[in-house]
C-alpha cells in the first residue's frame, strides 16, 4: 500500500483497485502458476519424451512479480557468471505481481503499489532497466496530512517545523523530546510491538497521532501486534546501538563519516529531498522493461506442481505449461511467491519449514480509485487554489473507516484529465477484515462518506468510480516473532539438506517496493555465493 505519507522512504506493496464486479486473490495456494513468455528451450539442454520435456538450468526463480524479476536482473547485471542460464516462472499470463497500472479516458492509476522511495538500489534497477528518462518524482516539499479532531493537519517535514505544527500538544512534544534523548523507561528485555516501543520512547501522542496511522498506511496493520524490530528495524536499531533514539542517530552519523565513502554510480539521477517516484506511464513500466530484457528467460502461465531434490544435487521442478508438462532440473531455486503459497509447495520437502511459513498473516485490503471535479475539494484544503500534497492518513480513533487517501493526480503528472482530481483510497486491514463481506458499491459509499467529512464538500456530486480491487490477502504482517518464523523456515530447509533453495519476496525483504528491490540484490548475492561453492564442489 502506498500510504507511507509520514516517511516517504517506506512504501508498501498494498494492492489497489480492479474492474467492476471483480475480486482478485493475488495468489491462491492451490492454483500457483509460475512464469514468463517463451517456450521451454531455456537452459543448457532439452530432452523430449513421452513423459514431457526436461530442461536444465542454473537457477529457477519462482514468481514473476517485482522481487523475482529484480533478482533475475540483479544476477544478470551484478553476478553475470553466477547463473547465466536462468528462468523466471510466473503462474499468471503477465509479469509484475501486485504492480498493475490502468489507463482509461485520460486517467492513469495504479491497482497495486503507487510509488517507491528513490534509493540508490532502486535507481540502479531503474537505470539498468532503461527507464531513466521515464522516471518521475514527486515534489519533496508537498505536505502530508493526518486527520485529527475533524481537521487535516500537516505533518512536520523538517526540524524547523516541529515547534509550530498543531498535530501534537506542547506537552506531547516535550514528552517526545525527552524520550528521544533517553529520558524514558528502559527496554523490557523482550521483543516489543510497535505500540510498546513508541509509547515507551516517544509518548502516547506520537503513537496515536503519527505512528498508528503510519502503520495503517504501510502495513494496513495493528501496531499492538507488529514487531518494532521487524517492521521498523532502522529505528529499533537506533536505541539498540546508541542507548536512545537521538544517541543512536548521532552514532550512525558519526559511523557514516568515518566509513570509507563508496563512489556513487554516476549514471544515477540525484533526487532532491525526501520524495517518491514512479514512471511516465506508471509503475508497470518497470516489470515490463525487465521482462523485455530477460526475453525468453521469462515463462508465463507456468504452473508449478512440485519440487523434489535430485540425488545428483540440485532440484527438479515440475510445471504444467501451455505446451504440456515440463520438468526443470536446476542447481538452485529462489521462491518469491507469497509465504502461504511457498508453504504448500515446500511441505513435501520440509514439514517444519512449511508450518513456519503458514503462520504469516496477510489481512484483506480494498483499494478504491475515484475521481471528483476540482471544485468538489473543500476550500480550506486547497493551497494556492490547488489540492497539493502526497495524501492523508486516518488514525483508527477518528471515526472514519478509510485507512487513508493518496492524492494521485497531485503526486505525479498526467494522472487525470483537466478539471478532475484522482484519489486512491485504502480500506480494510488487520483491524477491519469485514470488508470482505462488502460489495463494491458499499466500499465506494464508505470511502465517499469518509472523504466528505474532511476533504470533499458535503453537497458535491457523486464520485466517478474508476475501480475497486479487493485483495483478500494483501500485505504480510511483520508481527512480533516474525524473524523467528523466518529463521525457523530457513534453518529447517538447510538442516534438511536443501542448500541452494532460497526464500525471497516481500515477507522476507520488507513490504515496500524499494525494499523488495534492495532484497533482490541481497538474494542475488546469496545465489552467487552458493553457485561459487557449487562450482568448486563440482571441480
Amino acid at each position: 500500500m502506498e500510504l507511507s505519507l509520514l516517511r516517504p522512504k517506506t512504501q508498501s506493496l498494498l494492492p489497489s483497485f480492479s474492474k467492476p464486479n471483480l475480486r482478485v486473490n493475488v495468489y491462491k495456494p492451490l492454483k500457483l502458476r509460475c512464469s514468463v513468455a517463451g517456450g521451454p528451450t531455456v537452459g543448457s539442454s532439452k530432452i523430449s519424451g513421452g513423459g514431457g520435456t526436461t530442461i536444465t538450468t542454473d537457477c529457477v526463480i519462482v514468481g514473476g512479480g517485482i522481487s523475482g524479476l529484480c533478482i533475475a536482473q540483479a544476477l544478470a547485471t551484478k553476478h553475470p557468471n553466477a547463473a547465466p542460464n536462468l528462468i523466471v516462472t510466473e503462474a499468471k499470463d503477465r509479469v509484475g505481481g501486485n504492480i498493475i497500472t490502468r489507463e482509461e479516458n485520460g486517467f492513469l492509476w495504479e491497482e497495486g503499489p503507487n510509488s517507491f522511495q528513490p534509493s540508490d538500489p532502486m535507481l540502479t534497477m531503474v537505470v539498468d532497466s532503461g527507464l531513466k528518462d521515464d522516471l518521475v518524482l514527486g515534489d519533496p516539499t508537498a505536505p502530508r496530512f493526518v486527520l485529527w479532531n475533524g481537521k487535516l493537519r500537516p505533518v512536520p517535514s523538517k526540524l524547523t517545523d516541529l515547534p509550530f505544527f498543531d498535530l501534537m500538544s506542547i506537552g506531547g512534544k516535550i514528552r517526545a523530546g525527552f524520550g528521544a534523548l533517553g529520558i524514558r523507561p528502559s527496554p523490557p528485555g523482550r521483543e516489543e510491538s510497535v505500540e510498546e516501543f513508541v509509547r515507551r520512547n516517544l509518548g502516547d501522542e506520537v503513537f496515536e497521532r503519527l505512528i498508528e496511522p503510519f502503520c495503517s498506511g504501510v502495513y494496513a496493520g495493528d501496531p499492538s501486534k507488529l514487531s518494532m524490530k521487524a517492521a521498523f528495524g532502522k529505528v529499533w536499531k537506533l536505541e539498540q546501538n546508541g542507548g536512545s533514539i537521538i544517541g543512536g542517530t548521532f552514532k550512525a552519523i558519526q559511523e557514516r563519516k568515518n566509513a570509507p565513502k563508496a563512489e556513487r554510480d554516476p549514471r544515477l539521477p540525484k533526487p532532491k529531498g525526501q520524495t517518491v517516484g514512479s514512471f511516465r506511464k506508471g509503475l508497470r513500466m518497470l516489470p515490463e522493461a525487465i521482462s523485455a530484457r530477460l526475453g525468453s528467460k521469462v515463462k508465463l502461465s507456468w504452473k508449478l506442481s512440485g519440487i523434489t531434490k535430485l540425488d545428483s544435487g540440485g532440484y527438479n521442478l515440475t510445471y504444467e505449461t501451455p505446451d504440456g508438462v515440463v520438468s526443470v532440473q536446476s542447481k538452485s531455486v529462489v521462491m518469491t511467491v507469497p509465504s502461504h503459497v511457498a508453504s504448500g509447495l515446500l511441505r513435501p520437502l520440509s514439514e517444519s519449514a512449511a508450518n513456519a511459513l503458514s503462520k504469516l498473516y496477510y489481512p484483506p485490503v480494498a483499494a478504491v480509485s475515484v475521481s471528483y471535479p476540482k471544485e468538489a475539494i473543500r476550500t480550506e484544503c486547497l493551497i494556492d487554489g490547488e489540492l497539493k500534497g502526497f495524501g492523508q492518513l486516518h488514525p483508527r480513533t477518528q471515526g472514519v473507516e478509510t485507512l487513508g487517501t493518496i492524492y494521485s493526480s497531485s503526486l505525479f503528472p498526467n494522472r487525470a484529465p483537466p478539471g478532475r482530481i484522482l484519489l486512491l483510497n485504502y480500506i480494510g486491514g488487520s483491524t477491519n477484515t469485514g470488508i470482505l463481506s462488502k460489495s463494491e458499491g458499499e466500499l465506494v459509499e464508505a470511502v465517499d462518506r469518509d472523504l466528505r467529512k474532511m476533504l470533499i464538500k458535503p453537497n458535491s456530486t457523486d464520485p466517478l468510480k474508476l475501480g475497486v480491487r479487493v485483495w483478500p490477502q494483501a500485505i504480510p504482517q511483520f508481527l512480533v516473532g516474525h524473524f523467528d518464523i523466518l529463521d525457523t523456515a530457513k534453518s529447517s530447509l538447510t538442516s534438511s539438506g536443501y542448500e541452494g533453495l532460497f526464500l525471497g519476496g516481500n515477507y522476507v525483504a520488507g513490504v515496500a517496493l524499494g525494499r523488495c528491490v534492495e532484497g533482490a540484490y541481497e538474494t542475488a548475492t546469496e545465489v552467487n555465493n552458493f553457485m561459487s561453492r557449487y562450482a568448486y564442489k563440482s571441480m
Side-chain angles (χ1 to χ4, degrees):
M1 178 161 98
E2 288 308 310
L3 293 182
S4 45
L5 305 172
L6 304 183
R7 185 164 151 256
K9 62 173 63 180
T10 306
Q11 275 85 34
S12 77
L13 293 182
L14 193 63
S16 226
F17 97 82
S18 80
K19 296 179 180 179
N21 302 317
L22 176 63
R23 292 194 174 214
V24 178
N25 190 342
V26 184
Y27 283 98
K28 297 182 180 179
L30 298 181
K31 291 188 177 181
L32 174 66
R33 288 178 175 262
C34 295
S35 198
V36 178
T41 56
V42 171
S44 57
S45 65
K46 171 187 174 184
I47 304 171
S48 298
T53 300
T54 299
I55 63 176
T56 61
T57 190
D58 297 317
C59 181
V60 175
I61 299 170
V62 182
I66 196 63
S67 293
L69 291 171
C70 288
I71 291 170
Q73 176 143 298
L75 283 169
T77 58
K78 300 297 184 182
H79 313 285
N81 297 322
N85 293 319
L86 66 79
I87 60 173
V88 181
T89 64
E90 169 56 47
K92 297 177 183 176
D93 60 359
R94 62 169 183 83
V95 294
N98 289 350
I99 294 179
I100 305 172
T101 308
R102 300 287 186 184
E103 188 172 13
E104 185 177 324
N105 296 329
F107 292 98
L108 190 150
W109 66 90
E110 302 289 350
E111 294 190 349
N114 186 73
S115 59
F116 54 82
Q117 196 273 328
S119 64
D120 278 1
M122 185 74 212
L123 292 175
T124 299
M125 190 64 65
V126 169
V127 171
D128 286 343
S129 302
L131 295 177
K132 181 177 180 178
D133 293 339
D134 293 292
L135 180 68
V136 293
L137 298 173
D139 180 0
T141 66
R144 301 161 177 82
F145 301 93
V146 168
L147 176 67
W148 193 258
N149 288 338
K151 180 182 176 182
L152 292 173
R153 303 173 189 272
V155 174
S157 59
K158 52 186 182 296
L159 288 176
T160 54
D161 293 338
L162 293 177
F164 307 106
F165 79 105
D166 66 353
L167 182 57
M168 291 173 57
S169 68
I170 294 177
K173 295 175 186 178
I174 293 174
R175 167 63 178 90
F178 279 125
L181 289 169
I183 305 173
R184 64 350 175 199
S186 300
R190 57 172 172 76
E191 186 175 2
E192 289 182 284
S193 69
V194 172
E195 180 175 1
E196 290 172 327
F197 180 93
V198 176
R199 286 190 187 275
R200 179 175 61 79
N201 275 282
L202 301 172
D204 294 341
E205 286 193 20
V206 170
F207 172 73
E208 293 165 0
R209 307 183 189 193
L210 289 170
I211 304 305
E212 186 272 333
F214 182 56
C215 286
S216 296
V218 176
Y219 287 92
D222 181 348
S224 70
K225 297 178 181 179
L226 287 170
S227 164
M228 188 68 194
K229 178 181 179 180
F232 303 105
K234 289 184 179 179
V235 178
W236 176 82
K237 287 178 181 177
L238 293 177
E239 184 185 34
Q240 294 294 308
N241 296 338
S244 68
I245 292 176
I246 294 295
T249 300
F250 282 129
K251 186 174 182 179
I253 292 173
Q254 191 62 44
E255 288 175 349
R256 282 198 296 270
K257 286 183 178 179
N258 296 334
K261 291 187 177 180
E263 184 178 351
R264 189 172 188 266
D265 188 339
R267 303 176 304 156
L268 304 185
K270 296 180 179 179
K272 296 179 180 179
Q274 290 291 334
T275 186
V276 294
S278 182
F279 302 102
R280 181 176 50 83
K281 287 295 184 179
L283 290 181
R284 70 182 178 194
M285 294 187 74
L286 182 59
E288 289 176 356
I290 296 174
S291 178
R293 287 175 175 260
L294 292 172
S296 62
K297 292 181 178 181
V298 178
K299 306 296 178 186
L300 293 175
S301 300
W302 277 36
K303 179 181 178 180
L304 180 60
S305 57
I307 307 175
T308 57
K309 183 73 180 291
L310 296 171
D311 293 337
S312 57
Y315 299 88
N316 185 82
L317 295 85
T318 303
Y319 288 95
E320 297 174 17
T321 80
D323 298 316
V325 176
V326 174
S327 294
V328 180
Q329 295 183 356
S330 181
K331 299 171 185 176
S332 60
V333 178
V334 183
M335 303 288 292
T336 69
V337 292
S339 61
H340 48 88
V341 177
S343 174
L345 291 168
L346 296 176
R347 189 166 297 280
L349 301 182
S350 172
E351 190 81 14
S352 177
N355 288 340
L357 293 175
S358 69
K359 293 178 181 178
L360 300 183
Y361 173 54
Y362 294 63
V365 175
V368 181
S369 293
V370 295
S371 174
Y372 294 88
K374 281 189 175 181
E375 56 268 22
I377 304 298
R378 294 189 180 202
T379 304
E380 63 268 25
C381 296
L382 299 175
I383 301 175
D384 298 328
E386 300 287 339
L387 178 64
K388 296 182 179 180
F390 283 86
Q392 60 192 53
L393 293 170
H394 310 145
R396 300 298 81 212
T397 58
Q398 297 305 293
V400 295
E401 191 174 1
T402 310
L403 297 171
T405 300
I406 294 172
Y407 305 162
S408 300
S409 52
S410 300
L411 191 55
F412 299 120
N414 304 316
R415 262 41 180 183
R420 303 293 303 190
I421 296 294
L422 174 62
L423 302 175
L424 173 57
N425 310 271
Y426 294 101
I427 185 171
S430 296
T431 60
N432 184 17
T433 59
I435 62 159
L436 289 176
S437 63
K438 292 189 175 184
S439 67
E440 287 192 358
E442 289 171 329
L443 291 171
V444 173
E445 288 176 6
V447 166
D448 180 57
R449 183 169 57 248
D450 286 345
L451 290 174
R452 291 174 190 271
K453 294 178 180 178
M454 84 294 281
L455 182 66
I456 301 299
K457 295 175 182 177
N459 60 349
S460 294
T461 58
D462 291 341
L464 172 64
K465 182 185 75 171
L466 294 172
V468 177
R469 180 177 287 269
V470 177
W471 301 82
Q473 293 172 294
I475 298 178
Q477 300 296 287
F478 283 42
L479 306 180
V480 171
H482 182 81
F483 285 152
D484 294 334
I485 291 174
L486 283 183
D487 289 344
T488 297
K490 292 179 179 180
S491 63
S492 295
L493 291 172
T494 301
S495 62
S496 299
Y498 298 112
E499 291 187 316
L501 178 53
F502 302 94
L503 301 178
N506 61 358
Y507 72 92
V508 177
V511 300
L513 194 157
R515 268 303 303 153
C516 287
V517 172
E518 292 168 15
Y521 284 110
E522 294 163 5
T523 300
T525 299
E526 291 182 45
V527 173
N528 175 67
N529 293 340
F530 169 77
M531 293 300 289
S532 297
R533 296 194 304 271
Y534 189 99
Y536 178 79
K537 291 178 181 179
S538 301
M539 292 177 63

